[in-house]
Amino acid sequence: MEQEYIAIDATASSPFRVEALHYTPEVSYDDGITFILLHAMNLHKETYHVLLKHLLGSRSSPPALRIKDAWCIENPTTDVVQSSTKSSYPRQNTREDVRTSLDYAKAIHSFLGSTAHGVDFRTRKLIAIAHSGGSTSLMMLQTLEPKFPFKAFVFLDPAILPPTLPSSKVLTTMFGGWAASKKDTWPSRADAFAELSGHPAYKRWDPELIKLFVENALRPLDSSGAVTLACSKIHESTYYDSPDALAPPGEIYISIAKEDAIPMHVIMAKKDEYRGKTDEMKQFQAEHAQKMKDGSVQWLDRGGHMFPQVEPVLAARSIEKALLGISAVMSKL
């Protein structure tokens, strides 16, 4: 699997520098699938590395999926992306530095429509994969013109909320509060790695992904060697507080399910870390995906909400199963 770093500058439609990682499997099919991957809030484009090693590195013959390549696009909430180098020290964030799911959608749209990378994504067989908060941005991407011809959407424990249920507001408030109160600074990357490796929220992760998080989700705080979250607490909390985090993604999700033109495959944790608070959201997602002719729902017994990081091999096999199980979808590819 080859890996290439690509970045495009800000444009009139998206005021953000956009970074991406391009992964090409050892065996790449010209007529194969191009995956577009959106990561969760507070993570980074490298977080899919282990999952992609298994999804793109399948040794089955004939191949389970004919894959051309994969593109992991960075959310512009990360100050590292908006800095010219990783050694610079961005100014402190303020409440005016709001980031929304629409911002990520605009960044993706700008990247897909750019000519800087030399790829015409309109001619590709596109399948989007989105985890957690990245799923709301995938929904908001559908509001932007020109549209890109996605063949399917794969959601990994998505944060797409039922538009009218009181529990949805409870969740956005809860997620925003957690983001605002989390620890965000360490004396060094070594200290961060040591602490996170033993932290309940991170220690279950694949060890390679903890290392990649420390390398890519943290930025220098100053010249002392101290580091802080590249996606600041303010960026993350305002993401959940923004108007387009609640009703619009859910409304778009319902509309896509009704139109039944782009299959939606939802892969969810049967048990997560939120003690039942996400049950209504998950039932909402499952109900609409199951109504689709070519939609599907999978419930995973292990890994929790962060199963792409905790169980990346299981996540890869589940994605493969979702796409293989829909013969009508594959015939269109």
Side-chain angles (χ1 to χ4, degrees):
M1 182 174 73
E2 295 181 1
Q3 180 179 321
E4 179 186 14
Y5 167 85
I6 296 174
I8 65 168
D9 292 328
T11 66
S13 60
S14 175
F16 307 107
R17 171 182 168 84
V18 186
E19 295 185 348
L21 283 178
H22 179 211
Y23 290 89
T24 305
E26 184 177 335
V27 178
S28 174
Y29 295 88
D30 288 340
D31 62 346
I33 297 165
T34 288
F35 289 112
I36 304 297
L37 294 99
L38 292 72
H39 62 78
M41 279 299 298
N42 197 39
L43 294 185
H44 51 92
K45 59 189 180 298
E46 294 82 3
T47 198
Y48 284 114
H49 185 77
V50 179
L51 185 159
L52 286 173
K53 279 199 294 189
H54 293 275
L55 183 60
L56 273 58
S58 174
R59 293 291 186 267
S60 61
S61 182
L65 297 174
R66 292 175 65 86
I67 299 171
K68 181 175 180 61
D69 54 5
W71 299 75
C72 302
I73 303 176
E74 190 87 66
N75 189 328
T77 52
T78 58
D79 282 322
V80 166
V81 172
Q82 303 315 314
S83 306
S84 58
T85 71
K86 288 192 178 184
S87 62
S88 59
Y89 316 122
R91 62 180 173 80
Q92 294 298 307
N93 302 119
T94 68
R95 291 298 295 187
E96 285 69 40
D97 292 322
V98 173
R99 293 290 188 270
T100 71
S101 58
L102 182 59
D103 286 330
Y104 193 9
K106 287 180 177 178
I108 295 163
H109 192 267
S110 177
F111 187 89
L112 295 179
S114 175
T115 59
H117 41 57
V119 177
D120 184 355
F121 285 100
R122 294 169 300 178
T123 66
R124 296 294 188 92
K125 296 173 180 177
L126 300 176
I127 292 181
I129 299 173
H131 176 214
S132 189
S135 60
T136 63
S137 294
L138 178 56
M139 293 293 88
M140 298 307 293
L141 179 62
Q142 309 317 302
T143 68
L144 303 177
E145 296 289 345
K147 288 182 169 57
F148 290 88
F150 286 97
K151 302 294 186 182
F153 297 141
V154 180
F155 298 106
L156 309 179
D157 222 53
I160 299 172
L161 299 162
T164 59
L165 293 183
S167 60
S168 295
K169 182 59 180 174
V170 171
L171 285 176
T172 58
T173 300
M174 179 179 72
F175 293 147
W178 283 349
S181 63
K182 67 169 59 173
K183 180 174 180 176
D184 65 343
T185 303
W186 294 266
S188 68
R189 290 189 193 274
D191 288 301
F193 180 78
E195 181 175 324
L196 294 177
S197 295
H199 190 284
Y202 293 89
K203 67 181 182 181
R204 297 187 305 134
W205 286 24
D206 183 287
E208 184 175 359
L209 296 179
I210 301 176
K211 180 175 180 288
L212 287 171
F213 182 88
V214 171
E215 291 174 353
N216 297 284
L218 306 179
R219 64 166 175 82
L221 181 63
D222 51 37
S223 60
S224 71
V227 291
T228 190
L229 293 173
C231 175
S232 73
K233 294 194 294 186
I234 287 179
H235 280 173
E236 186 174 3
S237 62
T238 57
Y239 193 93
Y240 296 120
D241 291 341
S242 66
D244 58 30
L246 187 53
E251 292 166 352
I252 295 165
Y253 184 86
I254 292 170
S255 176
I256 292 173
K258 285 182 177 179
E259 291 171 3
D260 206 2
I262 305 174
M264 297 195 295
H265 309 287
V266 186
I267 304 171
M268 289 185 281
K270 186 177 294 185
K271 183 179 180 181
D272 62 27
E273 302 84 335
Y274 308 122
R275 301 179 181 179
K277 292 184 174 66
T278 60
D279 288 355
E280 286 188 319
M281 175 182 72
K282 292 184 176 187
Q283 290 303 321
F284 158 78
Q285 295 165 5
E287 175 187 345
H288 288 283
Q290 287 169 335
K291 289 178 181 177
M292 303 183 76
K293 180 180 65 174
D294 294 323
S296 69
V297 176
Q298 293 180 60
W299 296 92
L300 303 187
D301 290 322
R302 62 184 193 272
H305 176 61
M306 303 302 290
F307 69 79
Q309 288 71 38
V310 177
E311 297 280 354
V313 180
L314 174 63
R317 296 289 81 86
S318 299
I319 292 167
E320 189 175 87
K321 178 182 177 182
L323 297 176
L324 281 176
I326 310 300
S327 58
V329 175
M330 300 313 297
S331 68
K332 297 174 186 176
L333 297 178

